[in-house]
Each structure stands twice: as structure tokens, then as C-alpha cells.
Amino acid sequence: AGTDAAREAAWPDSRLLEERLDRLEKRLAAQEKRALVTDEGVEAEISAELEAEIRALTATAVDPAAHQATRVGALKLIRRRSPEARSGAVAAAMVVLLRATEDDARRADIIRQLCGVKDEVAKREFLERLRLDQSEVVRHESAESLGAMLDDPLVVTALEYARDYDPSERVRNQAAESLALRKKEYGRARSAIRDSPDRSPLSRSA
């Protein structure tokens, strides 16, 4: 416990870190608004500072020696500032952490923060959690996150099973909601095709 507390103390307060990132982003936005007269050197310096912060957050997220809460906190900030940086090594490290923690809320939070990531390792873990995790909240978050991966037939099948057979009403409802996204996407695609000027009059009547 003492070691965990020391690790936690070594992590900058997440609120303060977020404020620092906010200030950097605002400075960069202000420079970009003055594009015609901006000092390119200053803009590059701010961009470099932001990139360095993201690299530091990424290093913390994948560090197995860091406290679990610290790593998840870093993941949250990465998601807000650079969502694409969650794939690859970060996603793989978070899956390992997900399997290692017995805290239901922490497992659910990791899945929530990985929502939208394009990563096969994360997808397989979401499927596994939806099927086998004993925690309702973890299965619920898995069902929601899988809603962003409906291009995979295995995901659709897993959500259909959860919709019909999960013992939790909350999970069943979330699985149904995630599957509804597929119908909405299909409807929008059909509308786009019907409205396309490149379609023949015959195909528009379909």
C-alpha cells in the first residue's frame, strides 16, 4: 500500500496537468488565428510542447510500474487530447491492466476510455468481457464500446447474443442500442446512395 501511495504521489495532479494542456492548446489556437503575422517559431514551440506532453502521458499509460489509477488517468487525458494515440502499445498495455485488476469500476473505466479505438487487441478484449465478465458495469461498457466496431460480423453476433440473453436488463438494453447504430449507419448510407447524382434514375427508385 505504501508503494502504491508513493507511485500515486509521483504523478502530477491530473486536474493541474489538464489545465497545463488547456493553456498550451489555447496558446496554439491563438497563434493559429494570427496566421498571417504569427511567429512560426513560437507556434512550432507550442506544438512541440503539446507533443511532448502526449509522449509523457503515453509513457505513463504503458508503464507497468506506475500505479493503476495513474495509468488510467493518463489514458483519459490521451483520449481527450490525442485519441489516435490510444492504439498499438497503449491499447495492448491497457488490456493487460484490464486483465490484472479486480476492481470492477476500473475495468469499466479502461473500456470506456478505449471506446472508439481502432485496435484488434482491444476489440477481442471487449468481446471477451461482454461474454464472460461477472460485472454488469463492465459488460455494459463493453457493449457500448463495441457499438463503434459494427463492421465486424463477430461483434454484431456478440451484441445480438447479449441483447437476447444477458442476465442484466441494462446490458441487454445497451446491446440493443449499440446494434441500432448499425441500422442508422445503413440508413444513412442508403440515403446517400439514393441521393447521389451519379446514380441512374432506375437505381434511385430502389
Side-chain angles (χ1 to χ4, degrees), residues 138-157:
V138 173
R139 297 197 311 277
H140 180 275
E141 288 296 339
S142 298
E144 183 169 356
S145 291
L146 286 168
M149 299 174 167
L150 294 170
D151 55 333
D152 186 334
L154 289 176
V155 169
V156 175
T157 299

Side-chain angles (χ1 to χ4, degrees), residues 9-202:
W11 170 247
D13 181 88
S14 60
R15 181 180 56 81
L16 295 177
L17 179 56
E18 187 160 5
E19 288 175 357
R20 190 165 76 225
L21 289 169
D22 278 336
R23 286 195 297 270
L24 284 169
E25 288 179 337
K26 286 175 182 177
R27 284 172 58 200
L28 183 57
Q31 288 295 119
E32 289 172 346
K33 284 181 180 178
R34 299 193 299 271
L36 295 178
V37 294
T38 189
D39 183 334
E40 291 184 3
V42 172
E43 185 173 338
E45 180 183 340
I46 300 170
S47 295
E49 288 180 43
L50 277 169
E51 290 172 5
E53 295 284 8
I54 297 300
R55 286 196 299 273
L57 288 169
T58 300
T60 298
V62 303
D63 182 3
H67 188 276
Q68 290 185 356
T70 296
R71 296 177 64 188
V72 178
L75 178 63
K76 289 179 182 179
L77 289 174
I78 292 170
R79 180 187 183 186
R80 293 173 192 166
R81 307 298 170 177
S82 183
E84 67 281 358
R86 294 173 300 161
S87 59
V90 172
M94 284 296 126
V95 166
V96 172
L97 178 59
L98 180 61
R99 294 171 180 169
T101 182
E102 297 180 359
D103 187 313
D104 293 351
R106 184 161 293 156
R107 291 201 309 281
D109 198 13
I110 292 170
I111 294 169
R112 186 181 305 117
Q113 300 309 323
L114 288 175
C115 183
V117 70
K118 302 299 182 184
D119 187 272
E120 287 297 316
V121 173
K123 179 169 66 178
R124 288 196 299 271
E125 191 65 21
F126 297 163
L127 287 167
E128 187 78 358
R129 293 292 157 181
L130 177 62
R131 187 169 68 93
L132 294 176
D133 203 289
Q134 295 300 306
S135 168
E136 176 191 59
V137 67
V138 173
R139 297 197 311 277
H140 180 275
E141 288 296 339
S142 298
E144 183 169 356
S145 291
L146 286 168
M149 299 174 167
L150 294 170
D151 55 333
D152 186 334
L154 289 176
V155 169
V156 175
T157 299
L159 286 170
E160 288 174 340
Y161 188 89
R163 176 198 61 194
D164 296 338
Y165 299 110
D166 194 277
S168 163
E169 183 179 5
R170 282 189 68 219
V171 176
R172 293 196 302 272
N173 289 341
Q174 181 57 60
E177 188 174 322
S178 292
L179 286 166
L181 295 174
R182 183 168 176 252
K183 294 180 179 178
K184 290 177 184 177
E185 288 297 328
Y186 177 77
R188 281 196 287 266
R190 290 284 297 171
S191 296
I193 292 171
R194 282 197 301 270
D195 297 339
S196 171
D198 297 326
R199 293 190 75 211
S200 68
L202 181 61

